[in-house]
Amino acid sequence: MSGIVKKKEKKTANELTSLAEKIRAKALENQKQHIDAEREGGSESDSEENVSVKEKKTLKPKMKTISSTENENVNEDESFETFSELNLVPELIQACKNLNYSKPTPIQSKSIPPALEGHDIIGLAQTGSGKTAAFAIPILNRLWHDQEPYYACILAPTRELAQQIKETFDSLGSLMGVRSTCIVGGMNMMDQARDLMRKPHIIIATPGRLMDHLENTKGFSLRKLKFLVMDEADRLLDMEFGPVLDRILKIIPTQERTTYLFSATMTSKIDKLQRASLTNPVKCAVSNKYQTVDTLVQTLMVVPGGLKNTYLIYLLNEFIGKTMIIFTRTKANAERLSGLCNLLEFSATALHGDLNQNQRMGALDLFKAGKRSILVATDVAARGLDIPSVDIVVNYDIPVDSKSYIHRVGRTARAGRSGKSISLVSQYDLELILRIEEVLGKKLPKENVDKNIILTLRDSVDKANGEVVMEMNRRNKEKIARGKGRRGRMMTRENMDMGER
Ligand SMILES: Nc1ncnc2c1ncn2[C@@H]1O[C@H](COP(=O)(O)OP(=O)(O)OP(=O)(O)O)[C@@H](O)[C@H]1O
């Protein structure tokens, strides 16, 4: 549990009712101020990293085939007690020490040795198991011998994850003079072009924005790229990202390039993997396709019709003082629930794709710093984000895709810590939850719920929710009215920032 959040007392139903009454007039104004302040603060940056492979040139030429994904690293006992045993450069060993990495995690033990030998890697391990360092360490180790600009490019599906990967490269490369930059949508193209002209070693990017720079930024090319990493590879290889990925892969070299694919849920579809143009890859798997960690306790709450908000507030009240991420299926639900939580004095912030990038980073910063104990997010926060203080993940809406479930609940119980996930299951979600239980290979136990408390909470929660919906509608109308007046100005700005995704 987060040490930052102070222990609070549970609220009674009457308290919640009178609280809702008392603060109704003031709260929406406060909430507006909160949100405005959140969205003014914070910034996002992008990173990308390039690394080259000297030793690889001494290896046997690799076969241009994907058929050997069966080339599996099957050594079950492969476990190293220290990073020194991996024969890394001293600067990296020291950086691991500085980060309090006392020994390699299982995926690091399994994938770093073949990676150091120059192999392409498919890495599969549970959420929070140290996959980022598993691909960053071999790249940085090679980079130390062969410092060239635009050496490695790491692709990630979300902007926040790209930024986080940059931070890992910067920490691990802190004693090596590594230069990295983050190239993601929603940020200024000109600033990014300037960063690229500084010839970073490592570029961490979201695919769309990287493509924009490859097409439009003079002097920038990845022709000499030595490493390409696809983090959350199954997501990057899916329908949405596939076409842009194909275009990127056409531009960058295949001959001298090493490719790593990492995820907690890897596709086994050969055609998808073929898209990544792997060469004789070694498969390093420390989990099966849909495995959650043992330190995660997963439960569900069966919610009768019309009571979802009440159950959520009940749950927040039960676990007061804990740090939580609440996942919703829609941006509007994320915004609404964040408002509802704040109105009832559970401090929350929203993260979703309708916010601009500064607002997204501002919300994440508030949550990470412990200034908000609840993050209400869409699946934009489902993959990769590493926030150690998260105690509980709540699925307010059950994800349609079982993979999303695995990634969402993996935002807690990371790096050996314990954590809990609770899924709110309505009558409409029964099929979805059965499918999730099937891939998990187990039934999820039900949470005990005090129905009397639910009944006494219901009216006040419904009332508060009504207030929030009214306020959201009012603001939307205002926004539409403002948007009409500003159309000319927005067009100009968009024209200046061509290709923004
Ligand atoms: N060898 C290590 N020893 C201790 N902690 C480590 C080690 N390697 C990584 N970590 C820490 O473990 C946490 C999780 O790592 P990381 O974010 O890379 O997980 P992941 O496997 O990529 O998860 P996800 O699938 O959710 O993206 C991070 O806080 C990281 O600093």
Side-chain angles (χ1 to χ4, degrees):
M1 171 180 140
S2 163
I4 303 163
V5 179
K6 55 179 189 286
K7 184 100 181 106
K8 294 183 191 165
E9 294 298 316
K10 274 199 224 173
K11 297 177 180 67
T12 63
N14 281 345
E15 277 171 337
L16 279 174
T17 312
S18 67
L19 191 59
E21 297 282 340
K22 198 176 73 190
I23 61 182
R24 188 175 318 145
K26 242 181 77 187
L28 289 168
E29 184 52 30
N30 287 346
Q31 183 196 341
K32 191 165 172 287
Q33 281 170 9
H34 270 321
I35 293 170
D36 289 347
E38 280 165 20
R39 292 180 187 167
E40 272 158 26
S43 66
E44 190 213 44
S45 75
D46 313 318
S47 82
E48 134 173 276
E49 224 170 11
N50 270 316
V51 192
S52 83
V53 193
K54 204 176 202 173
E55 295 92 315
K56 192 184 161 194
K57 291 169 193 157
T58 64
L59 294 172
K60 280 186 281 180
K62 297 195 279 179
M63 278 165 53
K64 283 278 150 203
T65 171
I66 187 67
S67 61
S68 46
T69 45
E70 301 87 47
N71 189 3
E72 195 152 347
N73 187 354
V74 286
N75 190 351
E76 295 296 328
D77 304 329
E78 211 158 41
S79 161
F80 294 88
E81 284 310 307
T82 64
F83 280 94
S84 316
E85 289 172 44
L86 291 168
N87 287 326
L88 303 173
V89 297
E91 288 75 9
L92 258 176
I93 296 172
Q94 186 56 45
C96 288
K97 265 193 203 134
N98 296 349
L99 287 168
N100 290 327
Y101 295 178
S102 53
K103 63 181 270 189
T105 64
I107 184 65
Q108 291 162 3
S109 281
K110 199 152 197 171
S111 64
I112 292 175
L116 291 176
E117 285 170 15
H119 290 284
D120 283 3
I121 302 286
I122 298 177
L124 177 67
Q126 299 103 317
T127 50
S129 60
K131 293 187 289 294
T132 317
F135 61 73
I137 287 172
I139 292 175
L140 290 169
N141 202 64
R142 296 296 179 103
L143 180 65
W144 182 243
H145 297 291
D146 197 8
Q147 300 223 358
E148 286 173 21
Y150 308 144
Y151 197 63
C153 177
I154 290 78
L155 294 175
T158 66
R159 302 162 183 186
E160 288 78 11
L161 178 55
Q163 175 58 26
Q164 185 182 289
I165 296 169
K166 171 179 161 52
E167 284 157 19
T168 301
F169 268 93
D170 289 348
S171 325
L172 283 167
S174 60
L175 307 174
M176 303 172 63
V178 169
R179 290 192 308 276
S180 72
T181 190
C182 191
I183 300 297
V184 297
M187 303 301 278
N188 187 286
M189 280 283 283
M190 299 293 281
D191 290 346
Q192 292 177 343
R194 241 190 324 270
D195 287 346
L196 288 171
M197 287 310 103
R198 293 193 186 110
K199 310 251 183 251
H201 303 111
I202 315 284
I203 301 170
I204 298 104
T206 47
R209 183 51 70 91
L210 179 71
M211 194 63 218
D212 288 344
H213 281 286
L214 285 168
E215 286 176 340
N216 300 313
T217 301
K218 280 203 181 103
F220 170 58
S221 109
L222 292 179
R223 276 193 301 272
K224 294 198 171 156
L225 189 77
K226 296 296 190 295
F227 284 93
L228 177 69
V229 181
M230 294 183 209
D231 193 19
E232 309 295 343
D234 55 324
R235 177 79 181 96
L236 289 175
L237 293 167
D238 75 12
M239 299 254 287
E240 195 187 324
F241 286 103
V244 69
L245 215 64
D246 291 343
R247 285 164 65 204
I248 292 171
L249 286 161
K250 252 190 206 152
I251 297 178
I252 60 182
T254 44
Q255 278 304 317
E256 285 291 309
R257 188 192 82 212
T258 303
T259 307
Y260 299 157
L261 308 190
F262 276 83
S263 185
T265 51
M266 190 62 76
T267 180
S268 52
K269 291 193 183 122
I270 286 293
D271 55 337
K272 276 200 179 182
L273 291 171
Q274 230 145 15
R275 183 169 241 159
S277 351
L278 291 163
T279 305
N280 204 15
V282 177
K283 187 173 174 191
C284 303
V286 296
S287 63
N288 69 29
K289 215 166 131 193
Y290 295 105
Q291 202 171 320
T292 50
V293 292
D294 296 340
T295 51
L296 173 70
V297 176
Q298 304 169 69
T299 64
L300 53 81
M301 274 184 179
V302 179
V303 181
L307 283 175
K308 217 166 171 188
N309 295 328
T310 310
Y311 270 67
L312 178 72
I313 297 302
Y314 168 86
L315 194 156
L316 299 188
N317 212 20
E318 285 300 300
F319 293 100
I320 197 131
K322 301 276 184 192
T323 304
M324 290 189 198
I325 301 183
I326 301 170
F327 281 104
T328 64
R329 211 174 289 154
T330 64
K331 301 166 204 169
N333 257 358
E335 199 62 43
R336 177 180 62 81
L337 291 180
S338 168
L340 179 63
C341 292
N342 281 317
L343 185 56
L344 295 171
E345 292 192 349
F346 299 98
S347 79
T349 185
L351 176 62
H352 54 76
D354 267 355
L355 305 176
N356 69 38
Q357 198 48 31
N358 281 341
Q359 291 169 335
R360 277 164 67 161
M361 292 307 285
L364 200 57
D365 286 347
L366 278 174
F367 182 62
K368 278 180 168 171
K371 292 181 184 157
R372 298 286 183 279
S373 54
I374 300 166
L375 181 73
V376 191
T378 57
D379 274 332
V380 76
R383 282 189 182 244
L385 292 188
D386 182 54
I387 306 168
S389 58
V390 176
D391 302 305
I392 302 177
V393 168
V394 177
N395 284 313
Y396 176 84
D397 295 316
I398 303 296
V400 183
D401 170 13
S402 307
K403 274 188 185 180
S404 289
Y405 176 90
I406 304 281
H407 290 278
R408 281 182 181 187
V409 298
R411 294 318 97 211
T412 185
R414 300 177 67 76
R417 290 181 199 87
S418 57
K420 184 174 175 70
S421 72
I422 306 171
S423 298
L424 301 186
V425 181
S426 73
Q427 55 184 323
Y428 307 107
D429 304 317
L430 290 176
E431 223 179 290
L432 292 176
I433 204 74
L434 283 175
R435 216 186 303 150
I436 288 166
E437 287 180 331
E438 201 177 309
V439 300
L440 290 172
K442 63 179 173 194
K443 287 293 249 186
L444 298 180
K446 290 191 183 109
E447 284 283 330
N448 286 326
V449 177
D450 187 332
K451 299 258 167 60
N452 290 326
I453 299 183
I454 294 281
L455 283 178
T456 48
L457 279 178
R458 182 180 188 165
D459 283 350
S460 47
V461 173
D462 283 350
K463 223 171 182 176
N465 187 55
E467 296 287 341
V468 174
V469 171
M470 259 169 52
E471 176 62 13
M472 279 175 72
N473 287 341
R474 191 187 62 73
R475 269 200 255 151
N476 277 342
K477 276 187 197 148
E478 254 180 40
K479 215 163 127 187
I480 291 166
R482 263 205 318 268
K484 277 184 191 150
R486 278 199 200 151
R487 180 162 280 173
R489 196 146 40 105
M490 281 169 70
M491 283 294 287
T492 317
R493 213 182 295 145
E494 273 167 22
N495 292 343
M496 281 164 58
D497 200 9
M498 247 169 49
E500 185 115 306
R501 276 158 213 276

